[in-house]
Amino acid sequence: MQTNLWSLVETGLKERADGVAFIAGERRIPYAEFADLCRRTETWLRAQGVGRGDKVGVWLVNRVEWLALFFALARIGATLVSVNTRYRSEEVAYILDRSGASMLVLQPGFRSIDFAGILAGMDAAQLPALRTIAVLDADATTPATLLGRPVVPFAVSVCEPAPAADTSDAEAPVVFFTTSGTTKGPKLVVHPQRTLVQHAWNCARAYGLDQDGAVFLAMLPFCGVFGLNGVLAAFAVGAPTVLIETFDGPQAAQLLLTHSVTHTFGSDEMYRRVLDTVPGERPFPAARIFGFGAFTSSFGAYAREACARGVPLTGLYGSSEVLALFSAQPMDLPVEQRIEGGGVPVAGMAATVRIRDVETGALLPPGQSGEIEIGAPSVFPGYHNNPEATAEALLPDGFFRTGDLGHLRGDGSFVYETRMGDAIRLGGFLVNPVEIEAVLKRFPELVDAQVVAVDIGGQTRVVAFVIGAPGAVVDADAIVARMRAQVAPFKVPARVWQVDAYPVTLSSNGVKTQRNKLRDLALARLADETASVGT
């Protein structure tokens, strides 16, 4: 099996050059047209000085240009630094600095996203490696510079296609994904071309994307493994991918029907927004597999109701480190088991899932809960420039310590139960509360902040408890407004409450805040709000 990313394009050109690779609105993009776009993009990148080993930040919604940049950078031997479009100045600056990106590719704006405005809130001096900013859809209003760097238009239509030969290294880093870290900023997960290509083929076969009539809807953002792995799997075997620039429930429901979509993957909240718009039995008659990641604790009952309506939901498992869609529950399982996270690895016998007792370190038999450890072809080689975190995550035998709790079933499949640590799922992304707290602690009127997650209106939201500086006035609304300007929307606290001190416990390692008691306090305050509204 070929392991270079470009081999997926070559296979498409050989077997289905005129076949539809992507559907974007009214536009149908054949494999041959996409290959031409990739080669022109490669020519443009080289003209901008991008070469082997360079890092390029891509900060775009789900456009075909995102994918063209990915394949073109792979051919060059450069690395795509994936930047979430929901990130704001604090997070974008951190990722660009940490990765050493020499170029950032963005678009002028999209709906409520003001890319240039977010850049304006960053400190240019903190980005010494950044040389150029490239803008899609540039026009007369596009500034000549941003962050003091020259702005160049992403103008690939005038470029000649690059030569067909691909000389890239399948083991060289091709993409950096972000994942929550133990410090204020996320870690950068490295993946070479090999893991992505092998995983694409495994996913395509395991999920039946290689079957006649398969059509895939890309609901999730390409900037994360959950979104990118799905589209690569469909692309590998010729299942047309329907693109949504950013997720919208009613729009997704319409596309599912219009294009007779058979496969899609998303979060539990996404499925709520899709299914609530379409009543009745078998709302999507073409559907074969609708895989989901359960990021809220309240989805079980809804999933059972959806399955009773004929929606083929199945639970998934994955992470940036082992790639998303790593496993899925078999469709022939009873519904109660099918909607649990986990399942059977798509790599089959090449993957091993084991459970280790967190107290004794012993490997556990089926039915007993412990930390999930994974050995598989899709396991990442490490975190970028972070050997300490890599050594902590990867065991000497190559298994990845997931930090998740789960158990094996008697048939060899596994069940994901919950995270071991304090990390929480927000907006479909795993977030360490420390990331949010670090931003809050820089506000001059605050001396400390603690963040916990609670259920508000059926969604997991964060709330913040803060301690004010002596004599300072703490304005909760003003703090929330400033957070909106600095972090992704899903990280903005739904409530900010000032307290004099936190509940703590003393241990051999020092004083630790009791987050469980803060969570209880948050629930009590929310209940008081509800009661006061009702009186």
Side-chain angles (χ1 to χ4, degrees):
M1 177 185 295
Q2 292 178 299
T3 53
N4 288 58
L5 197 64
W6 190 249
S7 68
L8 299 182
V9 178
E10 290 178 330
T11 298
L13 288 173
K14 179 180 179 181
E15 298 181 359
R16 60 190 83 88
D18 295 328
V20 175
F22 305 106
I23 301 172
E26 299 298 319
R27 183 182 173 199
R28 291 176 175 264
I29 304 169
Y31 277 79
E33 181 181 334
F34 178 69
D36 182 70
L37 175 62
C38 293
R39 290 179 181 140
R40 291 177 184 276
T41 301
E42 179 187 352
T43 300
W44 177 84
L45 286 166
R46 291 185 185 277
Q48 304 307 316
V50 176
R52 184 181 295 270
D54 283 340
K55 319 296 190 303
V56 174
V58 176
W59 193 22
L60 300 171
V61 296
N62 281 11
R63 301 174 52 147
V64 71
E65 290 89 350
W66 197 109
L67 298 169
L69 281 160
F70 185 42
F71 280 92
L73 288 166
R75 284 172 57 86
I76 292 172
T79 303
L80 184 148
V81 180
S82 180
V83 184
N84 192 333
T85 56
R86 300 180 72 180
Y87 281 174
R88 297 299 182 259
S89 57
E90 178 75 22
E91 299 135 320
V92 176
Y94 179 88
I95 292 168
L96 294 177
D97 178 43
R98 187 81 174 182
S99 67
S102 59
M103 173 185 283
L104 176 64
V105 183
L106 53 84
Q107 58 196 87
F110 182 83
R111 296 181 185 171
S112 62
I113 306 173
D114 178 9
F115 291 93
I118 295 169
L119 284 180
M122 296 160 53
D123 183 356
Q126 294 181 353
L127 305 172
L130 187 64
R131 301 193 306 262
T132 310
I133 295 174
V135 177
L136 273 72
D137 305 327
D139 58 23
T141 65
T142 304
T145 63
L146 286 169
L147 281 179
R149 273 70 170 181
V151 171
V152 297
F154 180 79
V156 301
S157 61
V158 298
C159 297
E160 290 297 321
D166 172 30
T167 59
S168 62
D169 181 1
E171 296 299 329
V174 71
V175 65
F176 292 167
F177 296 109
T178 55
T179 191
S180 186
T182 55
T183 58
K184 69 175 182 180
K187 294 173 287 189
L188 299 180
V189 177
V190 177
H191 275 284
Q193 297 190 42
R194 172 186 53 79
T195 60
L196 291 165
V197 173
Q198 290 182 345
H199 193 62
W201 285 108
N202 288 335
C203 287
R205 293 159 181 157
Y207 293 109
L209 283 162
D210 57 348
Q211 301 300 308
D212 289 344
V215 178
F216 179 67
L217 175 65
M219 294 198 298
L220 291 149
F222 298 155
C223 61
V225 289
F226 206 174
L228 184 58
N229 293 157
V231 74
L232 289 180
F235 183 79
V237 293
T241 293
V242 182
L243 303 181
I244 304 179
E245 290 184 317
T246 60
F247 175 76
D248 174 80
Q251 181 190 13
Q254 185 59 55
L255 291 173
L256 286 164
L257 290 167
T258 299
H259 297 287
S260 298
V261 171
T262 58
H263 295 70
T264 192
F265 304 116
S267 69
D268 43 15
E269 182 59 29
M270 282 181 168
Y271 282 107
R272 286 183 193 270
R273 297 181 187 180
V274 169
L275 295 173
D276 284 351
T277 67
V278 185
E281 300 297 312
R282 292 190 58 78
F284 304 110
R288 301 175 191 174
I289 292 181
F290 281 13
F292 74 93
F295 301 146
T296 61
S297 59
S298 58
F299 189 65
Y302 191 94
R304 288 189 289 272
E305 293 174 4
C307 290
R309 293 174 58 195
V311 180
L313 290 178
T314 187
L316 305 171
Y317 181 82
S319 70
S320 296
E321 290 86 351
V322 300
L323 296 181
L325 314 179
F326 170 81
S327 63
Q329 301 292 358
M331 293 300 296
D332 58 0
L333 284 178
V335 169
E336 289 292 337
Q337 297 177 38
R338 200 176 82 212
I339 62 175
E340 294 181 302
V344 178
V346 298
M349 298 297 292
T352 300
V353 177
R354 65 193 186 193
I355 308 297
R356 191 176 297 278
D357 190 305
V358 296
E359 298 291 336
T360 68
L363 292 178
L364 297 172
Q368 295 188 29
S369 295
E371 183 177 10
I372 300 170
E373 296 179 353
I374 291 174
S378 62
V379 171
F380 78 130
Y383 300 108
H384 177 63
N385 284 347
N386 197 337
E388 295 82 7
T390 299
E392 184 178 348
L394 292 176
L395 295 167
D397 60 0
F399 274 69
F400 170 60
R401 297 180 58 194
T402 66
D404 292 332
L405 288 175
H407 64 268
L408 295 172
R409 294 195 184 114
D411 62 2
S413 63
F414 74 102
V415 175
Y416 162 78
E417 296 171 6
T418 188
R419 285 291 295 171
M420 288 174 56
D422 292 325
I424 51 182
R425 286 282 182 182
L426 297 171
F429 297 94
L430 189 63
V431 177
N432 192 321
V434 173
E435 298 176 27
I436 305 172
E437 292 162 359
V439 178
L440 286 166
K441 290 176 184 178
R442 286 199 293 275
F443 293 175
E445 70 268 38
L446 303 180
V447 295
D448 205 354
Q450 294 286 324
V451 169
V452 295
V454 293
D455 188 286
I456 300 178
Q459 295 186 40
T460 301
R461 300 289 303 278
V462 291
V463 295
F465 290 92
V466 300
I467 296 176
V473 176
V474 176
D475 184 335
D477 291 338
I479 289 173
V480 169
R482 282 150 67 192
M483 289 294 286
R484 286 199 185 101
Q486 296 190 43
V487 301
F490 55 82
K491 295 181 184 178
V492 177
R495 303 286 189 281
V496 174
W497 292 305
Q498 184 176 4
V499 294
D500 295 325
Y502 302 126
V504 298
T505 183
L506 297 176
S507 72
S508 58
N509 296 318
V511 178
K512 295 183 178 180
T513 300
Q514 294 179 299
R515 290 186 184 270
N516 59 326
K517 291 190 175 181
L518 283 178
R519 193 172 292 108
D520 292 342
L521 178 58
L523 292 172
R525 293 196 176 193
L526 290 169
D528 289 342
E529 289 180 6
T530 302
S532 64
V533 170
T535 57

